């Protein structure tokens, strides 16, 4: 079946512009996670959803970052007034549920470059 | 100090060699994950374990909960095993979100 998909695969934007990154999880997966991988650094957690609710937003680096999930499926990560330090690969993952420990399936990522 | 530490950071091996990558963590965990990231960025889950040992093909993962340590072994390594291997944990108090190690860059030469 189809895996996790993300769009766009690459995004170049000017400093100060807003961007939206999209994630389509595996069908039936109720848990959805956003992570970020900055150049030369490890992966870091941003936010996760169980259904349409976000029980843990603790990884969002500033109030310029927000995310939503609708219909228990697609999620959008929005970064307002982008800064150069936002440049990174943004990864989405989904799993069967967040209530329990399940394998996470990762999307291919969106590479964001802020110029 | 990071909650998840991996060693070595970089590893170069000759085809056929037995490889070990180590992971230590400092928090209580629900599960430990080993992930593989190939050039181009795609991440694949290799193992998820909370005790004992798991084997899949030439890959073996072990975990010692008391010592807060896990190892990933690759037997009969092959150039196609070249990738970044990442250890990650689901903390007891942080739910299912993952906390990651810095990764180990493995290069297997023919």
């Amino acid at each position: 079946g189809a895996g996790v998909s993300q769009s766009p695969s690459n995004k170049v934007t000017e400093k100060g512009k807003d961007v939206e990154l999209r994630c389509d999880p595996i069908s039936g997966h109720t848990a959805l996670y956003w992570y970020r991988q900055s150049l030369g650094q490890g992966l870091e957690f941003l936010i996760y959803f169980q259904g349409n609710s976000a029980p843990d937003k603790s990884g969002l680096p500033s109030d310029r970052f927000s995310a939503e999930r609708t219909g228990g499926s697609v999620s959008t990560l929005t970064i307002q007034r982008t800064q150069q330090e936002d440049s990174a690969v943004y990864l989405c993952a989904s799993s069967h549920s967040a209530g329990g420990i399940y394998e996470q399936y990762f999307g291919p990522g969106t590479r964001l470059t802020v110029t | 100090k990071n909650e998840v530490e991996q060693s070595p950071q970089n590893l170069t091996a000759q085809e056929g060699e037995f490889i070990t990558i180590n992971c230590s963590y400092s928090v209580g965990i629900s599960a430990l994950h080993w992930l593989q990231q190939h050039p181009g960025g795609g991440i694949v889950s290799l193992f998820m374990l909370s005790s004992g040992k798991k084997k899949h093909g030439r890959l073996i993962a072990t975990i010692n909960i008391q010592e807060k340590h896990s190892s990933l072994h690759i037997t009969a390594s092959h150039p196609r095993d070249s990738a970044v291997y990442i250890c990650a944990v689901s903390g007891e108090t942080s739910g299912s979100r993952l906390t990651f190690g810095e990764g180990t860059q493995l290069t297997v030469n023919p």
Side-chain angles (χ1 to χ4, degrees):
Chain A
V4 178
S5 61
Q6 293 185 245
S7 61
S9 55
N10 281 284
K11 176 72 176 179
V12 180
T13 190
E14 291 181 354
K15 177 181 172 181
K17 295 285 178 72
D18 297 352
V19 295
E20 284 190 352
L21 312 180
R22 176 186 168 110
C23 172
D24 278 276
I26 291 172
S27 177
H29 279 190
T30 62
L32 186 149
Y33 307 80
W34 284 100
Y35 299 101
R36 178 170 76 171
Q37 187 171 36
S38 302
L39 185 63
Q41 297 187 23
L43 285 146
E44 59 177 336
F45 166 80
L46 297 177
I47 184 172
Y48 90 87
F49 291 88
Q50 174 61 37
N52 293 334
S53 300
D56 189 349
K57 307 178 183 180
S58 63
L60 294 177
S62 77
D63 59 7
R64 296 186 295 105
F65 288 72
S66 63
E68 65 174 11
R69 188 179 186 196
T70 55
S73 180
V74 171
S75 176
T76 303
L77 177 69
T78 301
I79 309 173
Q80 295 179 310
R81 304 181 302 282
T82 52
Q83 302 294 313
Q84 288 186 331
E85 61 262 28
D86 299 334
S87 296
V89 176
Y90 289 81
L91 289 152
C92 173
S94 72
S95 70
H96 177 73
S97 171
I101 303 302
Y102 297 93
E103 186 175 357
Q104 294 189 18
Y105 296 83
F106 286 80
T110 293
R111 182 175 298 277
L112 175 66
T113 304
V114 182
T115 61
Chain B
K1 187 177 188 298
N2 291 337
E3 292 182 346
V4 182
E5 298 274 356
Q6 284 185 239
S7 63
Q9 283 189 306
N10 292 281
L11 181 56
T12 300
Q14 289 300 120
E15 183 172 356
E17 287 185 356
F18 181 84
I19 288 164
T20 296
I21 300 170
N22 295 299
C23 175
S24 296
Y25 53 92
S26 57
V27 295
I29 67 169
S30 304
L32 184 141
H33 305 246
W34 281 103
L35 310 171
Q36 181 190 56
Q37 185 172 32
H38 274 285
I43 295 177
V44 174
S45 176
L46 299 175
F47 295 103
M48 183 180 70
L49 65 168
S50 55
S51 65
K53 176 179 174 178
K54 287 191 175 181
K55 184 176 189 292
H56 184 215
R58 296 180 294 105
L59 302 178
I60 303 166
T62 64
I63 188 168
N64 184 318
I65 297 295
Q66 287 72 33
E67 295 186 2
K68 294 187 174 177
H69 181 269
S70 175
S71 293
L72 176 68
H73 305 287
I74 305 175
T75 62
S77 60
H78 190 276
R80 65 176 174 266
D81 297 326
S82 298
V84 175
Y85 292 83
I86 302 168
C87 174
V89 300
S90 307
E92 280 181 339
T93 59
S94 58
S96 55
R97 56 180 278 190
L98 297 180
T99 301
F100 302 87
E102 294 295 317
T104 295
Q105 173 69 62
L106 171 65
T107 303
V108 182
N109 294 317

